[in-house]
Amino acid sequence: MHTYKIMDFTRQKYLLVTLVSCMISVTIFLSSCNNDDNDVATYQELKIEDARITKSYHDDKNGTTIFNIEYPSQDPYGNPVTLSGIFAIGDEVTTKHLKGTLLYNRFTINREDQCPSRGNITVVSKLSGINLVTVAADGYGFGSTNDKNQPYCISRANAQASVDALIAVHDILKKNGYTLDDYLFNIGYSQGGQTAIGVVRLCAEKYPDIKITHTIAGGGPYDMAETYRRLVELNTTTMPSTVISSLVAVNEFYNIGAEYSDLFLEPTCDRIEPYLLSKKYSLDVLNKNLTNSQTISDWLTPAMCDFNSDLSKKFIVALEDDNLTKGWTPHGDERIILVQSTIDDSVPVENTEELADFLRDNGLNIITSNSNAKYNPGTVFVYKKNFRN
């Protein structure tokens, strides 16, 4: 594994907004200077006929109109389902012409009212105001599918929800007389960073007409099997709820069929349904109440802490199936910015290093903040910088 210089900063939500806003401003300028590098995205073959707006309202504080939508997509098993999300247009847009699209892939949530269509619009509103339409999917398990469990950190399912939301919003806008330039910014942090790279993979595999101008992904668990192994070896995490959520999701959506008692010790085992699956509690509450310890072996069973056990092997096989650092071929003209903290104790930094290795091995140029190389098509920019509150 190569060691790349990684951005070092705390996992604060406002830093995502600040960082991405600055990056979007820069990348729009860069793209406008190199417009011939990007093909116009055509969605004629991808149109969805029955996507619809269900509600609209104005966010006076941020000068943005929010549109709630429902649209056809797929559940984690590949079956048809109606999902929900939002799109936002800033007040600076006074005509029916938009510069392009910003696809925002949300970070980890658990409470049902924290998804975009239920009112959690802070990040989306703050990212609006730059002549783009901002699109955000709730994801399966929230909004219109709130009665279902979420496929937490299963990137294929979450990327499909995001891409289908993108297609649906483009269809809605075009039917309402809007025209869009071809700029498409694909961003996300933490679980959203994983989803953003999942979107890159999905477009490469399934939607070649969707041309992503820039992807900005921060702190994502791109290799969930390695993340599981690394955290168990470290035997500590500041975010127990995310480890528990991912194992619950894999157990359900990969049909492993284990009992919660096979995975978790008490009192965590008895708290999965009333706390985690009820969607009544935010992450800070879950981290305090699902378990009283940040030591993983205090709440994960010995079988799940033993990589040679039959049960652990089943989970590793499932997690490898969704590994973003192998098994696919990125477009050669991708522009990707990767951001992660070197002291991240929730998502090990090896995720970003491994993804950078994979992208390099597939022909993309890796540069850092110390490099004089230009951020041209076919480049992955890996950042290191200190951020402190």
Side-chain angles (χ1 to χ4, degrees), residues 33 148 221 243 328-329 337:
C33 295
K148 309 297 183 183
V243 179
W328 61 286
T329 304
I337 296 175

Side-chain angles (χ1 to χ4, degrees), residues 250-274:
V250 169
N251 186 54
E252 176 175 346
F253 294 107
Y254 279 88
N255 297 310
I256 292 177
E259 300 292 333
Y260 292 144
S261 58
D262 297 328
L263 311 180
F264 309 111
L265 302 173
E266 297 297 355
T268 299
C269 180
D270 282 345
R271 295 178 180 179
I272 300 298
E273 292 193 11

